[in-house]
Amino acid sequence: MERDPNATPFASGGRPLRVLVLGFGNPGRLDDGLGPAAARAIEAAAIPGVRTEAPYQLELEDAALAAEHDAVVFVDASRTESPPFGFREVRPRTHHEFTTHSLAPEAVLGVARDVLGATPRGFVLAIRGEEFDGFGEWLSAPAAAHLGAATRFLEDALRSGLSAACASEV
Amino acid sequence: MGEQAGDRRIVIEPVTRVEGHGKVTILLDEQGRVRQARLHVVEFRGFERFIQGRPYWEMPVAVQRLCGICPVSHHLCAAKAVDHIVGADRLTPTADKVRRLMHHGQFFQSHALHFFYLAAPDLLFGFGSDVLARNVIGVARAHPELAKRGILMRKWGQEIIRVTSGKRIHGTGAIPGGVNKNVSLAERDEALRDLPQMIEWAQAAVGLAKDYTLSHLDELADFGSFESSHLSIVRSDGALDLYDGNLRAIDADGRTIFDGVAPARYADVLAEDVKPWSYMKFPFIRDLGPDDGWYRVGPLSRMNTCAFIDTPLAEAARREFRAITGPRPCHVTMAYHWARMIETLHAAEKIGELLHDSDLQGSDLVVRGERRSEGVGIVEAPRGTLFHHYRVDDDDLVTMCNLIVSTTSNNVPMNRAVESVARKYLSGREITEGLLNHVEVAIRAYDPCLSCATHAMGQMPLEVDLLDADGRLVDRRVRDGS
């Protein structure tokens, strides 16, 4: 069945689903920019109920943003993921030591739960990159191809309210 | 003082709940007395060389890659240096106020983050309390409202940065000679919505820090505290000014060492030394020499150097702060936390003042003048005075870059604090994690960003190696950072 691309996905309570897409990474370090590039692509798709952010790194206040949504998709470049990408659900993790230099998606969800009492569902979209050890605001050819596949998948998942993606993790 | 036969060496690596990566080594003699203690910054930055050959107009954006912790301070400091290169001696009111708004947003979020997330576990539970509770989750469980405020204050400050620079991190708002955007009425109204709440929470945080300091003053007066000189920029009338002003330095008794020194003349009054065991430089007051010319910077120093604060709530708080030492400067290292919260309150008041100023909506954003080959910018960053100095050639490429970052200026003071605390708490005792944390508490008071002073990123486990004088491993304690 064809889906209406402008239809609004709904949460279980019947209200519009609020999804945060956090595509993080450094666009000045080649394929590390895959996360922000994915966030820009999703922003351009203008999916109802979906907010995108493209920070360099995950920060404490991202937990406050996450707490305002039903689901969060963390999009990051990966050195080890099988090409072109992987998608999985992640759970909150209690984070005893804190540094703003290094906050994992699970820790962001953990702070949202432990401090703000919010439990949005969390997903990681890990896009395989190939070149990280240089300076430049472009993606390698393989990474660009992986980005296309990953954003098509994510856009489709977001338009279906993530339910299909949750049912069959890639 | 060198290592001798029979000495033992303890290493705290990395130091936890600080930004960046450093280690502490403590040398014990055969009787277990502390012979020497040092804070080492073990990674190399090299940014001054990396930036050579780049076009000068890239500097405000490029220098933010120094670190993601206080990129706004580097962004604005570089922009101020480059203003001089493009001959922009006086910015338009809109550009000046948008930059100041951005800067105070940075102060607000940075200080809130440090107080509620890095320092609070020590202050709320005690320096040597159970490590399983002495962490951010312990704070969240025992004081959930405080933990929540920490996040929401940080978020508000980041939003101020976003509306002035375009992004929460690594924005591009400041450009040579001005800014590339103003603040819309919608952005202003959004920020104003939470202003009363933020001022109320900042006042409560000042009260918390004040009560803590005063109720522990006897202990804190001897905890890593020592007399020192203090340095900052101040406004021409002596007021606290975090964004612009001339250099003022005072000695331990509060007497003026120098005052009214324009940023371009900083090298006339300050010089830099190097040591073989650290990648950080050691700045000093030139007239006093490398041994006696070290000084402190940051919130404590600013409370000591400024004559007054031009916002009412913070000024009332400053007067209470200064009352504990009378006319002399305050040298209590742990009073950095109280001073930091007074600045947080001042930042909130300033943000409110600026948000109500219609110049923020102006459209005259950039000025230019006669091109120059050199520029110096100085701002007060959250951690202390920050210097950016560039020379450029006729092709607009940077030929020289010198940075003095806040943590570098606090290098000698942090080492003194480490040695003082180690001698007092570790000598002749069985070394425990709680005792070692006392050393880290003294470092955390300065809120050092070791990444910025050098360069670093990564996890923050605590690893303590105990070795004998021959370098053999006697004992090891590891605290997982995950």
Side-chain angles (χ1 to χ4, degrees):
Chain A
M1 185 177 71
E2 285 292 314
R3 209 171 24 240
D4 177 0
N6 296 315
T8 302
F10 287 88
S12 55
R15 62 172 173 72
L17 192 71
R18 299 163 304 177
V19 181
L20 174 66
V21 175
L22 271 169
F24 63 100
N26 184 347
R29 296 301 299 271
L30 306 177
D31 292 353
D32 196 38
L34 275 165
R40 285 194 299 273
I42 295 301
E43 184 177 23
I47 303 167
V50 175
R51 172 175 175 173
T52 61
E53 292 283 342
Y56 273 70
Q57 59 202 31
L58 296 178
E59 297 273 359
L60 190 64
E61 63 274 16
D62 290 324
L65 262 184
E68 296 169 358
H69 292 81
D70 300 300
V72 186
V73 182
F74 300 91
V75 189
D76 192 11
S78 171
R79 291 176 184 268
T80 55
E81 190 68 52
S82 298
F85 65 89
F87 186 77
R88 66 182 185 281
E89 185 159 10
V90 288
R91 309 285 181 192
R93 192 183 71 217
T94 296
H95 195 64
H96 286 279
E97 286 301 331
F98 171 71
T99 165
T100 52
H101 280 86
S102 177
L103 213 53
E106 293 88 343
V108 170
L109 296 172
V111 173
R113 180 193 62 189
D114 297 337
V115 178
L116 300 170
T119 53
R121 293 187 72 178
F123 303 89
V124 166
L125 176 63
I127 308 175
R128 174 62 179 262
E130 304 294 341
E131 294 183 27
F132 294 89
D133 299 325
F135 297 97
E137 295 186 337
W138 60 85
L139 299 174
S140 67
H146 301 160
L147 173 68
T151 53
R152 281 192 295 276
F153 164 82
L154 182 57
E155 185 179 341
D156 198 37
L158 291 168
R159 290 194 190 283
S160 71
L162 287 172
S163 54
C166 296
S168 58
E169 293 185 13
V170 177
Chain B
M1 195 180 295
E3 196 160 336
Q4 299 177 10
D7 287 352
R8 291 186 303 156
R9 180 182 293 272
I10 298 172
V11 181
I12 305 175
E13 184 181 19
V15 177
T16 57
R17 276 190 280 130
V18 301
E19 304 290 10
H21 193 117
K23 70 173 181 178
V24 170
T25 58
I26 301 165
L27 196 62
L28 304 176
D29 66 14
E30 287 180 320
Q31 283 73 47
R33 292 173 304 211
V34 173
R35 181 185 296 280
Q36 180 189 73
R38 280 176 174 166
L39 168 65
H40 306 252
V41 175
V42 293
E43 300 190 23
F44 180 61
R45 182 181 65 204
F47 201 85
E48 283 111 325
R49 288 298 300 272
F50 167 75
I51 217 73
Q52 288 180 20
R54 307 293 304 178
Y56 73 78
W57 59 78
E58 283 186 358
M59 292 308 103
V61 172
V63 294
Q64 296 181 90
R65 272 61 174 177
L66 280 162
C67 179
I69 301 306
C70 55
V72 170
S73 302
H74 286 295
H75 178 56
L76 292 174
C77 199
K80 288 181 71 179
V82 172
D83 288 343
H84 291 288
I85 291 172
V86 301
D89 293 331
R90 189 178 185 83
L91 300 189
T92 68
T94 298
D96 181 68
K97 288 170 186 175
V98 168
R99 284 191 188 183
R100 284 178 182 271
L101 181 58
M102 189 193 310
H103 194 49
H104 287 89
Q106 161 80 350
F107 260 81
F108 190 83
Q109 64 87 7
S110 175
H111 279 358
L113 176 79
H114 179 264
F115 185 71
F116 289 103
Y117 280 81
L118 303 183
D122 299 322
L123 308 186
L124 293 172
F125 303 126
F127 306 167
S129 58
D130 180 5
V131 67
L132 293 176
R134 191 191 343 114
N135 53 58
V136 67
I137 295 306
V139 173
R141 286 182 178 144
H143 305 273
E145 181 61 23
L146 280 187
K148 185 177 171 183
R149 286 180 190 184
I151 290 181
L152 297 180
M153 289 170 77
R154 160 95 170 173
K155 182 171 180 250
W156 187 71
Q158 292 286 55
E159 276 302 296
I160 298 292
I161 293 169
R162 187 185 66 75
V163 301
T164 49
S165 73
K167 290 182 187 173
R168 286 180 292 143
I169 302 173
H170 296 172
T172 58
I175 58 174
V179 295
N180 63 11
K181 78 181 286 291
N182 64 8
V183 176
S184 72
L185 288 172
E187 290 169 332
R188 181 202 67 179
D189 292 344
E190 177 70 16
L192 277 173
R193 190 168 50 88
D194 291 330
L195 176 67
Q197 182 70 86
M198 295 300 145
I199 289 178
E200 183 188 325
W201 286 351
Q203 280 184 283
V206 170
L208 193 63
K210 181 185 80 172
D211 292 347
Y212 172 80
T213 308
L214 293 179
S215 62
H216 295 78
L217 195 54
D218 287 345
E219 178 191 350
L220 299 182
D222 196 31
F223 185 86
S225 297
F226 43 82
E227 298 204 334
S228 72
S229 303
H230 296 273
L231 177 142
S232 77
I233 55 172
V234 294
R235 205 167 68 186
S236 58
D237 59 359
L240 177 74
D241 191 329
L242 302 172
Y243 175 72
D244 196 31
N246 289 330
L247 288 164
R248 170 182 287 179
I250 60 170
D251 69 13
D253 293 318
R255 291 185 295 254
T256 301
I257 301 173
F258 54 75
D259 194 12
V261 176
R265 289 185 47 232
Y266 83 96
D268 293 347
V269 293
L270 298 176
E272 297 171 88
D273 198 9
V274 293
K275 306 280 186 192
W277 46 271
S278 176
Y279 279 125
M280 274 204 286
K281 294 184 288 188
F282 288 76
F284 60 91
I285 295 169
R286 195 178 282 278
D287 282 352
L288 300 180
D291 291 335
D292 299 323
W294 57 275
Y295 56 89
R296 288 198 263 190
V297 298
L300 178 70
S301 298
R302 292 188 286 252
M303 289 303 113
N304 287 327
T305 55
C306 78
F308 67 100
I309 298 177
D310 67 352
T311 54
L313 297 175
E315 171 60 5
R318 186 197 69 87
R319 286 174 181 269
E320 283 190 288
F321 178 92
R322 289 304 308 271
I324 64 170
T325 55
R328 297 193 81 237
C330 176
H331 296 297
V332 177
T333 293
M334 289 298 285
Y336 262 98
H337 296 296
W338 184 3
R340 194 170 283 119
M341 289 305 95
I342 294 172
E343 290 188 339
T344 306
L345 178 57
H346 170 65
E349 289 183 286
K350 269 289 170 194
I351 288 168
E353 190 180 290
L354 289 161
L355 286 172
H356 284 103
D357 192 323
S358 60
D359 279 340
L360 284 184
Q361 283 77 52
S363 56
D364 194 6
L365 303 181
V366 180
V367 293
R368 291 290 171 90
E370 185 180 346
R371 165 79 152 75
R372 302 187 183 107
S373 60
E374 190 166 4
V376 176
I378 303 181
V379 297
E380 286 299 323
R383 294 167 176 83
T385 317
L386 173 65
F387 303 69
H388 278 221
H389 181 190
Y390 304 101
R391 291 197 190 101
V392 301
D393 63 16
D394 292 339
D395 296 323
D396 294 343
L397 303 179
V398 173
T399 58
M400 189 284 297
C401 166
N402 188 44
L403 311 179
I404 305 177
V405 301
S406 321
T407 295
T408 306
S409 289
N410 279 333
N411 198 355
V412 170
M414 284 192 293
N415 271 283
R416 289 203 168 224
V418 163
E419 182 141 3
S420 165
V421 170
R423 283 184 191 282
K424 175 168 179 163
Y425 289 93
L426 303 186
S427 281
R429 302 174 73 171
E430 182 187 350
I431 307 299
T432 63
E433 187 280 335
L435 286 175
L436 289 173
N437 186 55
H438 284 64
V439 176
E440 297 184 80
V441 167
I443 297 169
R444 281 184 208 116
Y446 291 87
D447 184 18
C449 184
L450 306 176
S451 318
C452 169
T454 57
H455 173 78
M457 66 181 296
Q459 299 289 323
M460 291 279 181
L462 171 67
E463 184 176 311
V464 181
D465 286 350
L466 185 61
L467 303 109
D468 66 15
D470 298 322
R472 288 187 294 262
L473 185 67
V474 177
D475 194 11
R476 167 172 286 180
R477 291 170 187 267
V478 176
R479 186 167 70 203
D480 190 353
S482 61

